[in-house]
Amino acid sequence: MPVLSQKAQRRHRRRGQEPLGPGALQFDLRDDDDAEEEGPKRELGVRRPGGAGKEGVRVNNRFELINIDDLEDDPVVNGERSGCALTDAAAPGNKGRGQRGNTESKTDGDVTETAPSEQSHASGKLRKKKKKQKNKKSSAGEASENGLEDIDRILERIEDSTGLNRPGPAPLSSRKHVLYVEHRCGPRPSLRPPFSAAALLCACPSLPRQRQRVYPKCTWLTTPKSTWPRYSKPGLSMRLLESKKGLSFFAFEHSEEYQQAQHKFLVAVESMEPNNIVVLLQTSPYHVDSLLQLSDACRFQEDQEMARDLVERALYSMECAFHPLFSLTSGACRLDYRRPENRSFYLALYKQMSFLEKRGCPRTALEYCKLILSLEPDEDPLCMLLLIDHLALRARNYEYLIRLFQEWEAHRNLSQLPNFAFSVPLAYFLLSQQTDLPECERSSARQKASLLIQQALTMFPGVLLPLLESCSVRPDASVSSHRFFGPSAEISQPPALSQLVNLYLGRSHFLWKEPATMSWLEENVHEVLQAVDAGDPAVEACENRRKVLYQRAPRNIHRHVILSEIKEAVAALPPDVTTQSVMGFDPLPPSDTIYSYVRPERLSPISHGNTIALFFRSLLPNYTMEGERPEEGVAGGLNRNQGLNRLMLAVRDMMANFHLNDLEAPHEDDAEGEGEWD
């Protein structure tokens, strides 16, 4: 039975109108959102069984036409429309529809009898309204989920129609790029303290709570510290040069202010005085090259903490200058090393990687190595291929090293590098020692390791004896006295190959010290000796290849050796490299450097001075002509009188330093000296 509000009942009694005729109204009322939700239900509740074929909606209760404002004023119904009660009676079925049409013809007493039940009906309607609102939200969420499921089904059908979804293992193209950087492998998880700051504050509430300085940007490479100077843009930025073939080429840029700081830095480096760099950092606290150069000075003085802090500050300064499209993890962003502005980023990453490795974070150091290699993988300016195998073995990421070797061997010939020739079979062998792998995979990895180590020993026989010596292992007499592995093998190899061997042994020899590894190596050494004695043609082919391939090492290998600071490898550098002046902020710059701006020439009157001035300067280092000192320089030319006075003072200085007694002293002992030789 429909519920009528008190105001509606009063209007009904006052007007005494009859129910509307069956054809009076043929429209649908949709005043608000509730009407839209209840539209289908109302159609079911107000149609007569025999009126299904008629057009429009037949309203059998005229109180459905009461304005919603009138109902909102009712305290009992509380804003609920009277038509909503129709759905309560229509829910179990279509029974009693004929009786609802005659509700208006009841007496006043009959109508008033329904008043005590209005409170219960109103509370029930409120609960139903809340349920409808919840159902509306849930239906919207289900609709969005169904939409996503439909999109997934469409994509699956497209893949099936194009033949991209094939059974079996996923293709290499669907896997992550081999140089993809895993950002979650940071130094913080491996260096996390046993007690967090929150736990310490709870245990010791008396500890002072320091206010942390807010920095403008959240970075990935490093975390800014409160002890650093307040960051302000130093004039360093990055721009996108071009994008082609899925690769994006970027370059760092220096503003005019940063260029002035760079010129001051070069002058400070030429002075060979670290304090000048400190003075420069007081005015430009985030100048990258100054931070890197001062970091080297601190490292030489055994101040490792300060050296690492300066490198992190340099990385923070460069990361704040990144282009919005520059990605550290995708492996598709390139930085040309020929541009001097980009080299600082390479060197900062390399120094940070070295610090992480020394701190016992090889997994994070491996990700830094992959990042450096991804910036220019074809040229590899810092020759990270000589290091990535070592970091992968230290991080026990054997699968990655094997994958890199399999994907790059065809076009990079990684097996011709001694480090890859020995590290890859070692990775296979260590993988075969893992007990969680199936027996078939372990045996396959062991066979692959034996095959590759035999090829490596055949190609590089001069590695065996130095490796055993570095591991403090005495070789067998049959091995050390054999002509193939004897001392002649190490002496006869080219100098460039000796440099690579010394670099590998100085860095990775300790990885071979395990007893199981040594016994496996011994077995394969005897196999190689048997093949050599049998006259295997592969032995002669490898010897001819060594003579052709390793005539001279490229410049990037020399640069890597200088940065590695491994004594055995540095000692093997050629004389034309050791005689050069190597700067820590730019070791061995490329010969085809691309300069975006040129350092202005310093005013040096020495080049156009007279012969007398040059002569006195060669005798007296303290002698300087007018104009060489910036505070005394005059734009209009040189003051000849002041220059002459300085020249006379220099001559007097020189004459005062001569002591005739010192010159005559040796003549007194000439006789005794000559007598000794006779």
Side-chain angles (χ1 to χ4, degrees), residues 118 132 165 180 192 205 223 242 307 310 496 620 645 657:
E118 290 181 359
K132 285 187 290 183
N165 191 8
Y180 180 83
R192 186 174 296 165
T223 302
E242 60 177 346
L310 293 172
L620 306 173
N645 293 335
N657 291 331

Side-chain angles (χ1 to χ4, degrees), residues 101 283 293 499 590:
T283 57
Q293 189 72 17
Q499 186 176 352

